[in-house]
Amino acid sequence: MSVNMRNVALFGVVAVLIILEGIMGSWNTALGIVNMGLISAILALGVNMQWGYAGLFNVGIVGFVALGGLAPVLVSTAPVLPVWTGGGAFRIIFALLVGAGVIGAAIFAYGRLSGRARVASILAILIGGFFLFRAIMDPGVDVVEAFDPATNSNIGGLNLPVLLSWPVGALFAAGAAWVIGKTALGLRSDYLAIATLGIGEIIISVMKNEDWLARGVKNVIGLPRPVPYEVDLQASPAFAEWAARFGSDPVTASTVVVKLCYAALFIAVLGIIMIGAQLALNSPWGRMMRAIRDNETAAEAMGKNVTRRHLQIFIIGSAICGLAGAMMVTLDSQLTPGTYNPLRFTFLIWVMVIVGGSGNNWGAVLGGFLIWFLWVKVEEWGPGLMNFLTSGMADGALKTHLQDSAAHMRLLTMGLVLLLVLRFSPRGLIPEK
């Protein structure tokens, strides 16, 4: 079997698994796997660009995804007018500008001064700026968070179309990547890993605790959608009549139609990113990036600016992760900061890239679909498998322990899949050419 036929067969296996889920289980579940598989594939593509193209180890993926998820709230929700007319929101914005000015002044002092004068000036700027920032910020936050805590307590958004939030989410993540990259990319790769890990946790902590921004752990629900809500379709007599022609009830038909609409949007986005990624990979720029990845010293000797190229690819990959984060929040129609955790949005994405084949864009897509399918289905298969394995055991502490451990089958399965791939196909299911 040729390499191309083998790759097609691998995608065919995943397609068959999803189709069987629709036939034997539920088409709603199957389409849900498809939609999240598409988003996972986009995430895997972003990480594959950083690791597969340039060898950059990003362990703060969750932070970039969360920043992207913040965009639909700030872009597409309606502004909370009372907190703006009351002055609270304006104070917050002014405080943020003051904070940016303080950082800029510290950077200016660092570049212009030296010795003890530099240290004293920077300390004075930062300490004085901190107290000034808090003096302006805290009263504004109190005003915003005190307004209608049950439904608002945040500044709201710009009330723009939700699709505009997707590129904005990419810009948010790209901005954070630029800050991290300018700080850490000139150092050893392990420093980049530490920096991304720390920044990711900081971003999640801010989103959980700053209610004025996006309600924190109280969550933002009912976000605008680029497709109709199911209840709106169910209330339409024309749609109910249309569903009846196919022998379906309006509830089931509405969920299937909405997921199909999302799938069409996500396929379009994945297709655009995939075309761009393939063109970039096969261009002189892509060959240069891989040459830098394989031997930075030789690339520098050839006159290549390694740090600058690393910054480029780090920003591009992070922007794609931010885009996927915005798409995910739009799919769920809600932002829940408490659900962002490194296991789901960092470890799992790395498994997708490694299993699919780092350095190969098609491998990243395959890994995204395959691993997400397993992640969803193992939760369902785990208890049944454990009950079957312990069916012949006498009741007791060991049997109870094994049955309770079914909750951890996801992690066991991901680890097992990763070990098997690394043992029998260490370059992934679809290796880099």
Side-chain angles (χ1 to χ4, degrees):
M1 182 183 295
S2 67
V3 174
N4 289 336
M5 289 300 297
R6 176 180 176 274
N7 296 345
V8 171
L10 288 172
F11 276 99
V13 169
V14 175
V16 168
L17 289 174
I18 296 174
I19 292 171
L20 287 175
E21 172 61 27
I23 294 174
M24 302 176 64
S26 164
W27 283 109
N28 274 325
T29 303
L31 288 173
I33 292 172
V34 168
N35 284 334
M36 278 305 302
L38 289 165
I39 294 176
S40 298
I42 294 172
L43 279 168
L45 275 174
V47 176
N48 183 59
M49 288 182 180
Q50 295 174 340
W51 174 251
Y53 289 19
L56 299 179
F57 189 40
N58 179 4
V59 291
I61 302 167
V62 61
F64 299 108
V65 175
L67 275 176
L70 180 63
V73 177
L74 299 181
V75 171
S76 63
T77 60
V80 184
L81 294 178
V83 305
W84 289 90
T85 57
F90 286 110
R91 288 185 70 99
I92 290 174
I93 293 175
F94 181 61
L96 294 175
L97 293 174
V98 168
V102 169
I103 295 173
I107 294 173
F108 179 81
Y110 181 85
R112 290 300 182 94
L113 302 175
S114 61
R116 293 183 178 179
R118 173 195 284 177
V119 175
S121 298
I122 291 176
L123 286 176
I125 292 171
L126 292 178
I127 294 173
F130 172 78
F131 286 105
L132 177 61
F133 171 78
R134 299 309 309 187
I136 301 172
M137 184 77 169
D138 290 348
V141 170
D142 292 339
V143 171
V144 172
E145 295 184 354
F147 175 74
D148 196 10
T151 57
N152 291 298
S153 71
N154 68 313
I155 60 176
L158 300 175
N159 206 23
L160 296 174
V162 69
L163 286 179
L164 291 178
S165 69
W166 294 6
V168 172
L171 288 175
F172 283 175
W178 182 85
V179 173
I180 299 170
K182 293 294 286 186
T183 305
L185 280 177
L187 306 174
R188 297 201 315 263
S189 59
D190 51 346
Y191 285 98
L192 175 63
I194 294 170
T196 54
L197 177 64
I199 292 295
E201 292 302 316
I202 290 171
I203 291 170
I204 300 303
S205 179
V206 169
M207 289 182 60
K208 286 181 178 180
N209 293 286
E210 299 296 329
D211 286 8
W212 62 268
L213 184 61
R215 288 178 50 78
V217 294
K218 290 183 285 187
N219 306 332
V220 179
I221 61 174
L223 291 173
R225 281 179 166 185
V227 301
Y229 269 94
E230 290 86 349
V231 291
D232 295 332
L233 292 176
Q234 295 163 18
S236 170
F239 181 82
E241 181 181 350
W242 176 84
R245 295 177 186 174
F246 295 92
S248 177
D249 61 279
V251 174
T252 302
S254 64
T255 54
V256 170
V257 167
V258 167
K259 287 178 178 177
L260 285 173
C261 291
Y262 271 124
L265 284 172
F266 295 165
I267 289 172
V269 173
L270 177 60
I272 293 171
I273 294 174
M274 190 65 181
I275 292 172
Q278 284 294 98
L279 290 174
L281 182 63
N282 297 319
S283 69
W285 178 86
R287 290 191 289 271
M288 175 191 64
M289 292 304 305
R290 284 179 286 180
I292 292 174
R293 175 199 65 189
D294 294 337
N295 195 325
E296 290 187 15
T297 304
E300 286 179 341
M302 294 294 290
K304 304 302 181 183
N305 189 332
V306 173
T307 302
R308 181 181 178 185
R309 299 306 180 184
H310 277 172
L311 183 61
Q312 284 180 349
I313 197 67
F314 187 63
I315 290 174
I316 293 172
S318 299
I320 292 174
C321 291
L323 172 65
M327 294 167 62
M328 194 180 306
V329 167
T330 305
L331 175 65
D332 296 336
S333 300
Q334 60 182 1
L335 174 66
T336 53
T339 61
Y340 290 111
N341 64 81
L343 173 64
R344 165 66 182 87
F345 293 103
T346 297
F347 169 73
L348 193 65
I349 307 305
W350 272 105
V351 173
M352 293 173 182
V353 173
I354 295 170
V355 169
S358 64
N360 191 306
N361 294 320
W362 290 109
V365 173
L366 175 68
F369 276 99
L370 176 61
I371 296 302
W372 181 253
F373 176 85
L374 293 176
W375 183 260
V376 172
K377 296 304 297 178
V378 165
E379 185 178 28
E380 174 187 332
W381 296 338
L385 176 62
M386 198 56 66
N387 287 334
F388 172 76
L389 294 176
T390 59
S391 59
M393 297 177 61
D395 293 338
L398 178 59
K399 182 177 181 178
T400 302
H401 172 74
L402 291 175
Q403 290 176 341
D404 291 342
S405 68
H408 306 291
M409 285 295 291
R410 273 180 164 178
L411 300 180
L412 177 63
T413 303
M414 293 302 105
L416 180 61
V417 169
L418 192 58
L419 286 174
L420 289 174
V421 169
L422 291 176
R423 171 61 181 84
F424 296 103
S425 183
R427 296 174 60 202
L429 296 176
I430 305 181
E432 179 184 5
K433 295 180 179 179

